[in-house]
Amino acid sequence: MYYIRRRSIPRCHHTFSTIASSRRISISGGFLRGAGYVTLLGGAGYVVDREFNASTIVRNLRTFWTCAVIAADYKLNFTPGKSDSISALHERVGDRLLNLFSSNGGLYVKFGQAIGANAALLPKPMQAKFSRLFDDAPQVPFADIARVFQEEFGRPPSGPDGIFAEFEETAVASASIAQVHRARLKEEDGGPGDWVAVKIQKPAVAKQMEPDLAAFRAVMWIYEHWVFDMPTYFVVDFICDHLRPELDFVNESQNSIRTAELVAQDSSLAERVYIPKVYPEYSTKRVLTAEWIRGVRLSDRQGILKLMGEPSIDLPSKSMTPLGSPDALTDSDDSQRLRGGTKWVMQTMIDLFNAQIFRWGWVHCDPHPGNIFIRPHPQHPRRLQLVLIDHGLYVKLSPEFRRQYAELWKALLSMDVDTLLRVAKQWGIGAPDLFASSVLLKPISLGNKSGKTEDKEAPKLSQYEASMRLKEKLRNFLVDTDKMPKELIFVGRNMRIVQGNNQMLGSPVNRIKIIGLAAADAIPRSEDLSFSDRVKERFHEGVFYTVMASIDGAFWLGHAWKWITGSAVDTFEDELDRQMREVAKTQYGIDIDPSAYDG
């Protein structure tokens, strides 16, 4: 019996080992099988999402993950004890946001541009990053574009049963939501040689729009209420309501026709400005056909100067690249250099946007240099004509807003502090000095007339203290977001783009004077004023025209000094830019990067 027990012990031990080993193999195998199933399902979900859902799930997951990482980074590292590393924190956040917008593309590029339009209010490490977020994108394959066209018309772009006699498969321009191809109308439709620009929406954009806007809403709400405690959500509805129509090319066609009618009815602009003809019979919600324009884009600074016969200006590049055009004006047109020069270009551009803001209440919201062409006038070849394209996004201004905005400009230039404070209060805006400077794009100091006192120079602050100071300034600026007219978002962006265009061309015109006079002309005169009010009105008018004369004198003095000395001194806009940065830093603690608005 003893012998049998001795022999049975190892046999039992062997059995237990075998069972344990089998269990380990079973558990390991189950884990591997589970991981395989998850990977298979995940891969299948990814493919289905990409092929049938335009990657909206992946895009939203990327959005929420990026925003969660940013929120956690700020919660953990934005503290007084880590003040020296806050600049690096802002740098990381800027890189993550830029990568998110670039990776997702589509409407995310528009979101990034909206942020970039207010770059001065961002921490300095973020400012220059968003100036590099342009509305250009890789072309999608022609097969995808042809499929969109076929779905819209039931016919191919060209061929025996095609809409057009010719259709170039390579796009001449590609942006975040659409790309443009050149085509030629059939002979019976418009005669041989009539070329048109066909703008076709990228196939994924329509499916992505609502999920993108929903993600945008969610992130802005979370950031306002849980993360930063800053008023950010108040602009969401307005931005979303204006981005949706941009994806409807029938709406863009109607916008273009309306703008063309307004220009034609305005005797001061009818000969100087042109809106390309649209072809409604060849346009749908996702396809827009318009007249092909031969000219030089304003973004091609050297091309514009060459067209005018003016010498090249040695200014810092604004990182603007002209979009390719197979029909652009070339060196062979040197003999057709046109009259007016860059001064005419900027005068016409500012006059056009003055009319939109102060008279029509109908404002083109994307007047970047790539959307403006300069060409010889078809009826007067030695004259210039400005052509405005891309009419997808407009904002309507109420008569009340136009009057208030005109009064604001005139008040700023006539030292009428009472009117300035009244308009600021009506719009729910505090910090009147900062508000005035942001409107005029020129440093304004109201002293103690605003009822508030400011340190002449901000004390030396740590990075944490400077960030908290900026946060407090923004809170004081946005006192009542319900009252603030959201149209200011787009009008302010337009004004900044106009300033940048003037700066890019060497400040050939006095922008402040031109806009100030237009604003004054837009204000209706009151006939029932009391004697004291009439005297006060006349006094402010006298101050207004005196200020206009002094600004104009400074403008021409700068040009004369540059001509006499031949030195590469700063232009008028460069000097205003420098003064704005200095005032923002010394009085408000806002450090603006010189390249914040480039592009």
Side-chain angles (χ1 to χ4, degrees):
M1 292 294 291
Y2 179 78
Y3 174 76
I4 293 172
R5 285 197 298 271
R6 295 264 303 176
R7 297 286 294 175
S8 64
I9 291 173
R11 209 165 27 237
C12 183
H13 175 75
H14 175 73
T15 302
F16 287 145
S17 298
T18 303
I19 293 171
S21 177
S22 298
R23 287 178 177 174
R24 284 197 298 271
I25 292 172
S26 177
I27 293 171
S28 177
F31 175 79
L32 291 175
R33 281 195 300 274
Y37 291 148
V38 170
T39 302
L40 183 62
L41 288 173
Y46 174 81
V47 172
V48 170
D49 183 45
R50 185 187 64 189
E51 296 298 325
F52 300 101
N53 204 32
S55 298
T56 54
I57 295 176
V58 171
R59 289 156 58 84
N60 284 348
L61 288 175
R62 184 187 294 125
T63 298
F64 287 115
W65 171 254
T66 301
C67 293
V69 169
I70 289 173
D73 204 356
Y74 269 116
K75 286 293 185 182
L76 294 173
N77 297 306
F78 188 73
T79 62
K82 297 182 179 180
S83 180
D84 291 342
S85 62
I86 286 178
S87 180
L89 168 63
H90 293 323
E91 186 87 21
R92 289 196 303 273
V93 169
D95 287 336
R96 286 173 182 142
L97 285 174
L98 190 62
N99 182 64
L100 172 65
F101 297 144
S102 301
S103 299
N104 279 358
L107 286 182
Y108 278 81
V109 175
K110 303 291 184 184
F111 299 154
Q113 289 172 339
I115 294 174
N118 300 283
L121 302 180
L122 299 173
K124 187 174 181 180
M126 294 187 194
Q127 291 172 5
K129 292 183 183 300
F130 288 94
S131 70
R132 301 196 299 267
L133 192 66
F134 299 107
D135 194 22
D136 53 3
Q139 297 184 25
V140 300
F142 177 70
D144 295 339
I145 289 297
R147 185 166 58 251
V148 172
F149 195 96
Q150 182 82 30
E151 291 170 356
E152 293 298 299
F153 291 100
R155 296 164 60 187
S158 60
D161 190 40
I163 297 289
F164 301 107
E166 295 180 42
F167 191 94
E168 297 179 356
E169 295 188 3
T170 302
V172 297
S174 179
S176 57
I177 65 174
Q179 61 190 50
V180 178
H181 294 256
R182 197 169 76 139
R184 187 168 63 84
L185 295 174
K186 289 186 175 180
E187 184 172 348
E188 63 268 26
D189 294 330
D194 281 358
W195 289 93
V196 292
V198 185
K199 179 179 178 180
I200 303 176
Q201 193 174 113
K202 294 182 175 179
V205 171
K207 292 180 180 179
Q208 294 169 347
M209 178 180 66
E210 289 304 330
D212 286 353
L213 293 178
F216 175 59
R217 285 177 178 277
V219 168
M220 295 296 279
W221 190 91
I222 291 170
Y223 274 12
E224 175 171 330
H225 292 87
W226 292 354
V227 182
F228 296 124
D229 190 27
M230 285 287 296
T232 57
Y233 192 78
F234 73 98
V235 299
V236 168
D237 286 339
F238 188 80
I239 291 175
C240 290
D241 289 345
H242 283 79
L243 284 179
R244 283 192 184 94
E246 194 172 3
L247 271 64
D248 181 356
F249 291 172
V250 172
N251 176 72
E252 181 172 348
S253 173
Q254 294 169 347
N255 289 347
S256 182
I257 292 170
R258 179 178 178 182
T259 305
E261 291 172 349
L262 289 169
V263 169
Q265 295 165 7
D266 194 310
S267 59
S268 67
L269 295 172
E271 288 295 316
R272 295 190 290 159
V273 176
Y274 184 74
I275 308 300
K277 173 186 174 182
V278 296
Y279 294 83
E281 64 272 30
Y282 302 125
S283 300
T284 68
K285 288 179 70 70
R286 294 195 292 167
V287 177
L288 175 67
T289 302
E291 175 184 0
W292 181 263
I293 296 298
R294 181 173 181 261
V296 179
R297 288 183 187 267
L298 190 65
S299 53
D300 183 4
R301 181 178 61 197
Q302 299 305 329
I304 290 290
L305 296 174
K306 191 169 187 178
L307 184 66
M308 307 298 175
E310 296 187 6
S312 173
I313 301 176
D314 185 19
L315 293 174
S317 171
K318 292 294 180 185
S319 303
M320 298 174 186
T321 304
L323 296 175
S325 169
D327 210 13
L329 296 176
T330 63
D331 292 348
S332 61
D333 298 290
D334 283 352
S335 61
Q336 297 297 317
R337 289 173 179 167
L338 310 177
R339 300 190 187 110
T342 53
K343 180 180 178 180
W344 181 96
V345 173
M346 285 310 308
Q347 179 75 48
T348 300
M349 183 186 305
I350 297 174
D351 287 346
L352 173 61
F353 287 101
N354 282 341
Q356 292 184 1
I357 293 170
F358 296 118
R359 298 203 298 273
W360 306 342
W362 178 247
V363 181
H364 186 294
C365 292
D366 201 15
H368 65 76
N371 283 339
I372 297 172
F373 283 87
I374 305 299
R375 70 171 186 177
H377 194 293
Q379 282 75 47
H380 309 284
R382 299 295 288 170
R383 297 182 189 174
L384 291 165
Q385 191 172 60
L386 184 148
V387 182
L388 182 64
I389 66 170
D390 196 357
H391 299 271
L393 185 58
Y394 273 79
V395 63
K396 297 177 183 178
L397 306 181
S398 68
E400 181 183 16
F401 176 88
R402 282 150 45 197
R403 176 183 54 77
Q404 290 173 327
Y405 194 68
E407 289 175 345
L408 178 63
W409 264 85
K410 187 175 180 182
L412 290 171
L413 295 170
S414 61
M415 310 301 179
D416 185 356
V417 178
D418 292 340
T419 298
L420 169 61
L421 295 178
R422 172 175 57 81
V423 173
K425 184 177 180 180
Q426 290 171 342
W427 288 355
I429 294 174
D433 295 61
L434 180 59
F435 174 51
S437 299
S438 67
V439 171
L440 210 59
L441 294 175
K442 174 184 182 296
I444 297 291
S445 177
L446 301 177
N448 291 326
K449 295 180 182 180
S450 65
K452 297 183 180 182
T453 59
E454 292 282 357
D455 296 333
K456 187 169 184 180
E457 185 168 351
K460 184 68 174 177
L461 303 173
S462 69
Q463 291 187 31
Y464 177 82
E465 292 169 334
S467 297
M468 295 303 295
R469 179 185 174 94
L470 173 58
K471 186 175 181 178
E472 186 62 28
K473 290 290 181 184
L474 293 179
R475 281 176 172 167
N476 292 336
F477 183 80
L478 300 171
V479 175
D480 189 343
T481 56
D482 291 334
K483 290 183 179 179
M484 179 183 172
K486 312 308 182 290
E487 298 87 344
L488 275 175
I489 299 168
F490 291 110
V491 172
R493 178 174 185 265
N494 275 24
M495 287 295 183
R496 176 64 214 193
I497 290 175
V498 168
Q499 183 202 25
N501 291 339
N502 194 35
Q503 190 173 3
M504 178 186 71
L505 294 177
S507 304
V509 300
N510 185 342
R511 169 185 56 88
I512 293 177
K513 175 187 174 183
I514 297 171
I515 299 175
L517 291 175
D521 290 341
I523 300 173
R525 285 186 173 275
S526 300
E527 301 298 333
D528 55 349
L529 293 178
S530 65
F531 176 76
S532 60
D533 287 338
R534 183 70 66 188
V535 170
K536 186 177 180 180
E537 181 185 66
R538 291 289 185 265
F539 170 76
H540 284 303
E541 281 189 358
V543 174
F544 171 77
Y545 287 107
T546 301
V547 172
M548 287 287 95
S550 65
I551 292 175
D552 212 31
F555 172 80
W556 288 113
L557 184 63
H559 275 266
W561 179 254
K562 183 176 181 179
W563 179 77
I564 292 171
T565 62
S567 59
V569 298
D570 284 347
T571 66
F572 185 65
E573 296 286 9
D574 291 332
E575 180 61 22
L576 291 181
D577 227 17
R578 185 192 62 76
Q579 292 178 15
M580 278 285 288
R581 293 197 304 272
E582 183 178 328
V583 169
K585 185 171 184 177
T586 57
Q587 294 191 15
Y588 301 104
I590 301 175
D591 199 0
I592 303 176
D593 191 285
S595 62
Y597 290 106
D598 285 1

